[in-house]
Amino acid sequence: RAQERALNINEVRGSTFTLTNFGAIAGISGTPVINYPEVGILGLGRIMQVPMVKNGAIEIGTILPLSLSVDHRLIDGGDAVRFLKDIMTWLSDPVSLLLL
């Protein structure tokens, strides 16, 4: 039903955190909007190769733009940023996830 875009509102309610992938439709970045009663939503952009500086030299690197929206009535902004930083660390070194 989801693939046919035929879900009704009762079939998508009750979540607390959502992942959205606007990169799948060539979106580079975006601002995900929280759907009450969710606490947060993490948006994933399009994976791209871009020039970046590594060890003082310009090289081609791969990036994945991330954006996080949270309900500040429940989540402190500092905690949200630390959470996003942890996600970035795990994605940059997936082997570290085995050590959790």
Side-chain angles (χ1 to χ4, degrees):
R1 291 178 44 78
Q3 291 177 345
E4 297 168 1
R5 298 184 184 268
L7 294 175
N8 64 49
I9 194 68
N10 291 327
E11 292 176 292
V12 295
R13 285 196 181 191
S15 66
T16 56
F17 192 87
T18 297
L19 298 175
T20 185
N21 182 2
F22 37 80
I25 55 173
I28 294 172
S29 65
T31 304
V33 177
I34 300 170
N35 298 308
Y36 181 82
E38 291 178 343
V39 174
I41 182 169
L42 176 67
L44 296 101
R46 183 176 171 196
I47 297 173
M48 301 178 299
Q49 290 190 326
V50 298
M52 59 178 51
V53 178
K54 291 183 182 178
N55 300 318
I58 297 176
E59 299 179 12
I60 299 297
T62 304
I63 64 165
L64 169 62
L66 301 174
S67 53
L68 178 65
S69 297
V70 296
D71 186 338
H72 284 275
R73 295 172 296 178
L74 302 168
I75 304 292
D76 179 71
D79 291 334
V81 171
R82 284 185 284 280
F83 171 67
L84 188 57
K85 186 177 177 195
D86 286 343
I87 290 171
M88 292 166 57
T89 299
W90 296 329
L91 290 173
S92 67
D93 182 17
V95 174
S96 68
L97 287 170
L98 299 173
L99 305 174
L100 290 179

